[in-house]
Amino acid sequence: MRTGRIQSSSSCSASSSSTFPHPPRLTFASRNCKFPLLLSPRALSISQRASKSETQLSFSRKSNNKHLVPVGVGALVTSNTQGISSGPLIAEENIGVLLLNLGGPETLEDVQPFLFNLFADPAEELRKSLWAKNVPAKVYVGMRYWHPFTEEAIGQIKKDGITKLVVLPLYPQFSISTSGSSFRLLESIFRDDKYLVNMQHTVIPSWYQREGYIKAMENLIEKELQKFDHPEKVVIYFSAHGVPLAYVEEAGDPYKAEMEECVDLILEELEKRKITNAYTLAYQSRVGPVEWLKPYTDETIVELGQKGVKSLLAVPISFVSEHVETLEEIDVEYKELALESGIENWDRVPALGCEPMFISDLADAVIESLPYVGAMAVSDLEAR
């Protein structure tokens, strides 16, 4: 039986700060649906799992069925692309895939190509995987805050004459602050463009339940554990990007519930390999005076050191590509904090990047979404 979660004194369900001004309302999410949904918020409702009051000792639960449709809480989504014909799928259509991420501002001369390459490489590998699966799609990268901007990607999509578009955020879990931000931008772009209004499209809001993603994460964790002298004594430390607590408690953001479920699915798969290490989940990258999701990563690292933990494996659970939060915040700042807190052995699981199983499963997600592509009126794209 799994060792269980390391308890933290920080509460996860403290009241939100009254100083947080008007959190954005959740437009849509699909945590209980196997297939992607059209950008239509009206037909959807949020079904969130009850929040845990604190990070306490817990044991992983086992899924009884890996092939549930629609997918419920705790179910692993397996690929459903068997029996693909030898010829191109939907050959008469011009298919595009738009990958979304936040990006970041340029601060040094080499930052711009670095940021672009973070997502250009996965985009190229995804394109290759789709073509290998007989789907001749073009793949575009659109970032919220840096080049290539989402607007630039949309311009190229129009220039290429794309007729069917699958929107795929590079965030495994949905949040109104990440995927939601990009979707609201897309809504505003689509609203004012006749070509885009009439273009058939669909969105994959989150994909943390997919088998390829879960197993790819499991493989990386198992590989890194073997680098320790005593792998069974290592605490697996899942570090997720934080969001303001008001997003979850006031705006209905499913991010916390999806994150906890994602961790549970990974632990269940690890347990099948007889890996039952103690684990914990905390949230990093908080800024400003308002309260964010707890427990906080820095506070939890200190507490683990105080409890005598000597070996820690950091798992960046919400990042699929290396970025400042992994290369600087985790690798430098949190590692230094861990060593100062008495933790002697530190390692980090790398971001998935272009890991073949992960890329192949993303391609399957795109293929599975194609039957759900449809034309939408811009009124159905309303961001609330």
Side-chain angles (χ1 to χ4, degrees):
M1 183 172 289
R2 177 160 304 285
T3 304
R5 179 174 295 183
I6 300 294
Q7 184 172 353
S8 168
S9 60
S10 300
S11 171
C12 288
S13 60
S15 298
S16 57
S17 170
S18 60
T19 62
F20 190 83
H22 307 298
R25 294 176 60 191
L26 179 65
T27 304
F28 51 84
S30 67
R31 62 183 310 272
N32 289 322
C33 297
K34 175 175 181 180
F35 294 106
L37 302 170
L38 294 170
L39 285 168
S40 178
R42 293 182 176 137
L44 302 175
S45 62
I46 301 304
S47 175
Q48 285 189 297
R49 184 173 56 182
S51 298
K52 300 176 182 177
S53 60
E54 60 180 13
T55 51
Q56 58 187 355
L57 185 68
S58 61
F59 299 96
S60 65
R61 42 187 177 70
K62 292 180 181 269
S63 301
N64 294 322
N65 192 330
K66 292 169 61 178
H67 305 279
L68 298 176
V69 181
V71 171
V73 173
L76 191 66
V77 179
T78 56
S79 176
N80 188 29
T81 58
Q82 292 85 358
I84 294 177
S85 65
S86 58
L89 293 178
I90 321 180
E92 70 278 8
E93 299 289 351
N94 198 0
I95 302 171
V97 180
L98 175 60
L99 302 180
L100 298 176
N101 213 298
L102 290 180
E106 181 177 16
T107 56
L108 296 173
E109 189 172 337
D110 60 347
V111 169
Q112 181 177 353
F114 169 72
L115 286 173
F116 178 78
N117 289 333
L118 283 176
F119 311 112
D121 290 343
E124 176 60 17
E125 292 305 310
L126 177 60
R127 185 195 67 81
K128 292 178 181 177
S129 184
L130 286 167
W131 279 71
K133 297 173 187 286
N134 301 313
V135 179
K138 295 182 178 180
V139 180
Y140 307 85
V141 176
M143 290 196 280
R144 187 72 172 87
Y145 299 114
W146 197 242
H147 297 286
F149 287 113
T150 303
E151 294 89 341
E152 295 170 347
I154 291 295
Q156 189 62 49
I157 286 169
K158 292 172 59 178
K159 183 178 179 181
D160 292 343
I162 296 299
T163 57
K164 286 184 179 290
L165 181 68
V166 177
V167 180
L168 177 61
L170 288 177
Y171 314 103
Q173 306 84 13
F174 178 90
S175 173
I176 56 179
S177 63
T178 53
S179 302
S181 174
S182 294
F183 294 159
R184 290 190 293 274
L185 174 61
L186 279 179
E187 182 273 329
S188 66
I189 296 173
F190 273 53
R191 182 187 299 277
D192 300 325
D193 193 299
K194 184 176 180 180
Y195 179 92
L196 298 175
V197 168
N198 294 312
M199 182 178 63
Q200 294 184 328
H201 56 274
T202 190
V203 130
I204 303 176
S206 65
W207 38 267
Y208 66 95
Q209 293 173 312
R210 293 196 62 87
E211 184 178 36
Y213 165 71
I214 295 297
K215 288 189 177 297
M217 290 296 299
E218 175 189 11
N219 290 340
L220 292 177
I221 292 172
E222 183 177 27
K223 180 179 179 180
E224 295 303 316
L225 282 174
Q226 297 308 312
K227 296 180 180 180
F228 290 85
D229 291 337
H230 301 283
E232 73 283 354
K233 295 182 180 180
V234 178
V235 172
I236 301 174
Y237 182 74
F238 295 96
S239 188
H241 198 289
V243 299
L245 187 63
Y247 282 19
V248 174
E249 294 194 343
E250 297 179 18
D253 196 335
Y255 178 72
K256 179 175 180 287
E258 292 193 356
M259 186 61 67
E260 291 176 352
E261 184 180 341
C262 178
V263 169
D264 283 347
L265 289 171
I266 292 172
L267 292 172
E268 289 171 9
E269 292 301 307
L270 287 173
E271 193 168 329
K272 294 175 183 178
R273 301 188 187 187
K274 310 302 181 184
I275 299 174
T276 58
N277 294 54
Y279 69 98
T280 191
L281 166 66
Y283 297 89
Q284 65 180 84
S285 308
R286 74 183 188 277
V287 294
V290 301
E291 188 167 10
W292 286 48
L293 285 180
K294 291 184 177 180
Y296 299 140
T297 289
D298 51 359
E299 294 178 357
T300 302
I301 289 176
V302 173
E303 290 182 15
L304 292 176
Q306 293 172 344
K307 291 179 179 180
V309 171
K310 297 301 180 184
S311 299
L312 199 63
L313 177 62
V315 181
I317 191 65
S318 55
F319 308 100
V320 299
S321 295
E322 302 293 358
H323 211 280
V324 64
E325 288 90 349
T326 58
L327 299 174
E328 171 63 27
E329 195 170 10
I330 295 180
D331 287 356
V332 178
E333 297 175 16
Y334 291 151
K335 179 180 180 180
E336 180 179 346
L337 179 61
L339 297 177
E340 291 175 351
S341 301
I343 295 170
E344 300 173 356
N345 305 302
W346 167 279
D347 199 359
R348 176 176 70 84
V349 170
L352 286 168
C354 297
E355 200 281 330
M357 180 182 293
F358 165 60
I359 294 296
S360 178
D361 195 62
L362 280 187
D364 289 344
V366 170
I367 295 171
E368 291 164 14
S369 78
L370 291 176
Y372 297 84
V373 173
M376 295 294 297
V378 76
S379 60
D380 288 330
L381 293 170
E382 181 183 15
R384 302 181 181 183

